[in-house]
Amino acid sequence: MEQFKMQQYQLSNIQENFSFEIFSLPDYIEQRGEELMVSHTQDYYQIIWFKSGCGLYTVDFNEYNVFENALFFIAKSQVHSFKSLTKCDGFVINFGESFLVQKDNDVDFFLKCNLFNTLYQTPSCCVGSGWEFKLDEYISQMRLELAEKKSYGREELLRLYLKAFLIQVQRRKHQLEEIGSGRNPFPDDEKRNLLIKFINAVEDNFAKNLTVSQYSALLNISTRTLSNLTLLLIQKTPTQIIQERIILESKRLLTHSDISVKEIAYRIGFKDPAYFFRYFKKHTEISPINFRKSIR
């Protein structure tokens, strides 16, 4: 059987020396058209701000409603597609990882790993009415700066505007979570950042078959500290987090490629395909082959 390779999009702004681009949402939809309705991935991070409109958006096997002032944050590894879009207005921002994260900076790390690339929160949030004017100002500044060809400090200003945009979204997100729950969703910055580092470590190493103790060693903490942390903040054990990431990657490959179950097992770190078969069925209550048949 010929192997199917899912479409992966790349930044179109190849004439520039930096990986950043911004579009109005109607222009972006017109350019990409039917491509947006087919499951795809990309080699960059993406923010989609729906100032108006409605529709359905699928991200890693979960469906989300498109609604007014919704922002979606898509990491470069995620599989996504639209099922429908109606009367949409807003903006799309695409950027490479190196554009945002320049140094070993805690804020850069947090923005990348908290808003993007985590299984334990929805990929969208709503800034709500009365807040969007702040984001509009940064969008305007970014678009003006992009139009200034060869201006001094252009890339650095764009990076600062992008970070300011993300910080404002993060502030609003925390504010709404606190209002909804009656408590600060992240009462301890140190614990919050440690959790993000663990989830990021799993993202980088899930195919290496590392144990919880090995992840703890990477973070320079004890296994008990790690277990207490994940149970406190997201009510899951470290083992559950590792397993869920492995299952997600398995589902991605089973759905969006035609490579064999045996090859999938090897790709995600299983030396014995039969064990992968049992592992997948244990955690999903369906065999990999039947999952592939059902999803198609």
Side-chain angles (χ1 to χ4, degrees), residues 131-148:
W131 188 272
E132 66 273 19
F133 74 94
K134 294 185 179 182
L135 303 186
D136 267 324
E137 182 61 31
Y138 293 119
I139 291 285
S140 297
Q141 292 297 332
M142 284 187 274
R143 299 185 83 184
L144 286 171
E145 197 59 36
L146 270 178
E148 293 290 333

Side-chain angles (χ1 to χ4, degrees), residues 12-38:
S12 60
N13 201 9
I14 56 175
Q15 76 274 14
E16 299 284 1
N17 293 323
F18 53 91
S19 51
F20 178 89
E21 56 189 16
I22 185 169
F23 303 92
S24 74
L25 186 53
D27 287 347
Y28 189 76
I29 292 171
E30 183 177 356
Q31 287 178 24
R32 289 291 170 89
E34 293 299 318
E35 294 177 0
L36 298 177
M37 303 298 173
V38 179

Side-chain angles (χ1 to χ4, degrees), residues 186-219:
F186 292 112
D188 187 320
D189 284 348
E190 185 178 348
K191 288 181 180 178
R192 175 196 63 192
N193 288 335
L194 189 56
L195 174 66
I196 293 169
K197 287 180 180 179
F198 171 58
I199 292 174
N200 197 53
V202 172
E203 181 67 27
D204 292 339
N205 298 284
F206 69 87
K208 296 179 182 177
N209 204 22
L210 300 186
T211 64
V212 173
S213 61
Q214 287 173 308
Y215 279 109
S216 300
L218 283 175
L219 299 173

Side-chain angles (χ1 to χ4, degrees), residues 74-245:
I74 306 301
K76 59 184 178 181
S77 60
Q78 291 185 289
V79 178
H80 56 112
S81 63
F82 288 97
K83 284 199 170 180
S84 63
L85 289 173
T86 305
K87 297 180 180 179
C88 291
D89 192 20
F91 296 96
V92 177
I93 302 172
N94 299 327
F95 60 93
E97 182 172 5
S98 61
F99 184 80
L100 177 65
V101 182
Q102 291 287 301
K103 299 177 182 178
D104 186 17
N105 180 288
D106 285 344
V107 173
D108 292 356
F109 177 87
F110 176 74
L111 291 172
K112 178 178 80 87
C113 299
N114 189 57
L115 287 172
F116 300 88
N117 212 26
T118 175
L119 303 179
Y120 304 106
Q121 58 184 12
T122 61
S124 66
C125 70
C126 179
V127 293
S129 179
W131 188 272
E132 66 273 19
F133 74 94
K134 294 185 179 182
L135 303 186
D136 267 324
E137 182 61 31
Y138 293 119
I139 291 285
S140 297
Q141 292 297 332
M142 284 187 274
R143 299 185 83 184
L144 286 171
E145 197 59 36
L146 270 178
E148 293 290 333
K149 303 292 185 181
K150 298 181 180 180
S151 294
Y152 173 75
R154 179 168 174 251
E155 179 179 350
E156 190 58 35
L157 274 177
L158 283 168
R159 184 178 297 110
L160 290 171
Y161 292 142
L162 174 62
K163 287 170 69 172
F165 182 96
L166 291 173
I167 288 170
Q168 290 288 359
V169 172
Q170 187 66 68
R171 285 180 176 178
R172 181 58 170 166
K173 187 170 180 286
H174 280 183
Q175 184 183 76
L176 292 173
E177 287 172 352
E178 189 171 359
I179 292 170
S181 65
R183 61 182 178 84
N184 188 335
F186 292 112
D188 187 320
D189 284 348
E190 185 178 348
K191 288 181 180 178
R192 175 196 63 192
N193 288 335
L194 189 56
L195 174 66
I196 293 169
K197 287 180 180 179
F198 171 58
I199 292 174
N200 197 53
V202 172
E203 181 67 27
D204 292 339
N205 298 284
F206 69 87
K208 296 179 182 177
N209 204 22
L210 300 186
T211 64
V212 173
S213 61
Q214 287 173 308
Y215 279 109
S216 300
L218 283 175
L219 299 173
N220 295 313
I221 59 175
S222 69
T223 55
R224 175 173 289 186
T225 297
L226 180 57
S227 295
N228 290 340
L229 176 78
T230 60
L231 286 168
L232 173 67
L233 294 183
I234 54 176
Q235 295 76 56
K236 293 179 184 288
T237 67
T239 298
Q240 285 177 298
I241 292 170
I242 297 165
Q243 290 170 343
E244 288 173 1
R245 184 61 186 89

